Amino acid sequence: PELSRVGVMLVTSKAERDLKIEGLELGADDYVTMPFHPRELLARTRALIRTRVLSQQLEERGDSLARALAELGETQAQLVHREKMASLGQFVAGIAHELNNPLNFVQGNLHFLARHARSMLEAIARYEEMMRELGADTSRIDATRAELRLDDVGEDLDSLLEGCTEGIVRSTTLVADLKSFSRLDRPDASMANLLDGLRSTLSVLRDRLRGIDVQLELEELPLVECIAGQVNQVFMNLISNAADAVGESGVIRIRSGQVDDDHVFVEIEDDGCGIEPENLERLFEPFFTTKDVGHGTGLGLSISYGVISRHGGQLIVRSEPGEGAVFRVELPTRSSEERREALARGDVPAGLEDPVER
Ligand code: ADP
């Protein structure tokens, strides 16, 4: 292979046609038979070198074309991804908006509804008591109470109310997720200490992480210009996913450090179930989840991806099935003017890296 680019010219006294053909078929580029004039040999050598150089140039051109084609494919995939995210963003913003008002309405009314129902039960009880005090015959009242199972209503009311409240809380959390996915909430960026955010996220998740060995290998970081609430939400999503992946017990390692003078990283590694290759491709799609209904919305990673790319950073995943997963967030410490504006508008910037590390 090292010699494949060297031109070969057979210079020989064997002039028969068959031998010539055999020589050329064996890979010779030219065949000169004796006797020859030295100028002919020179001319043929020059021609041979010229074709070699040309073919080399052609090969290089082919390589750079192939590279350009690959880049084009990647850009196209990113554009499609961006379009998909943008139209989904609009769709989701609409749903979040429509759901928000009725949910607030139900949440507000639920409280009064329960209070009114309790007042009515109380009024009935007092009325019955009064009748007894007056020495009235209460047998019909008692029969009605038994028929309507009024004694159970008070107890039922509490558990019904608890169920409704739980449903409402789940729905409002979902709407909050949808709103942040569609970037309806956009506070300003400021200089933040990511490790403070990480630590407070861990303390919020304390109950969730019980039984899991959380190992911190944190290197102090410079302040990072970001929307701290959004970046914390990313940590929250990644750590809760890691907790889901390891189950009751397992190890989650959280590392931080500097990539270079202007970039920091936070890495969350778990030794959980890992991710199947076919799921890896779809991980960052909104609503992609492998969790049971009620346990996953499939929004966590798509929100996280949007947040980190709007900050000019990268969210990269590495995983083999059965061997855990590593999610790595890289962020620039300083925003450019352009990025600051994009962040304020909520744009997804161009040139996103493919988040899946193969
Ligand atoms: P959700 O957690 O609601 O399902 P996400 O967008 O956060 O939504 O995650 C999408 C899917 O990615 C999860 O359902 C899960 O299959 C997979 N996933 C995310 N993080 C991990 C992890 N650390 N280990 C294994 N699978 C993961």
Side-chain angles (χ1 to χ4, degrees), residues 34 62 93 129 132 145 177 191 194 202 232 262 279 297 329:
M34 293 197 212
E129 207 178 302
R132 272 191 203 93
R145 171 170 277 280
D177 274 357
M191 299 306 288
L194 290 195
L202 283 170
N232 289 348
D262 309 314
N279 291 347
T297 57
V329 173

Side-chain angles (χ1 to χ4, degrees), residues 177 208 237-246 268-276 279-280 282-292 295-304 317-320 324-327:
D177 274 357
R208 188 84 192 282
N237 293 338
L238 298 182
I239 298 171
S240 3
N241 278 344
D244 286 343
V246 301
I268 290 148
E269 178 178 353
D270 65 70
D271 67 351
C273 56
I275 302 163
E276 298 293 331
N279 291 347
L280 212 50
R282 306 191 50 204
L283 223 54
F284 296 88
E285 281 179 20
F287 306 111
F288 173 78
T289 180
T290 57
K291 295 174 190 170
D292 292 339
H295 291 274
T297 57
L299 283 170
L301 286 181
S302 54
I303 291 176
S304 305
V317 54
R318 232 175 24 239
S319 178
E320 297 285 336
V326 185
F327 284 81

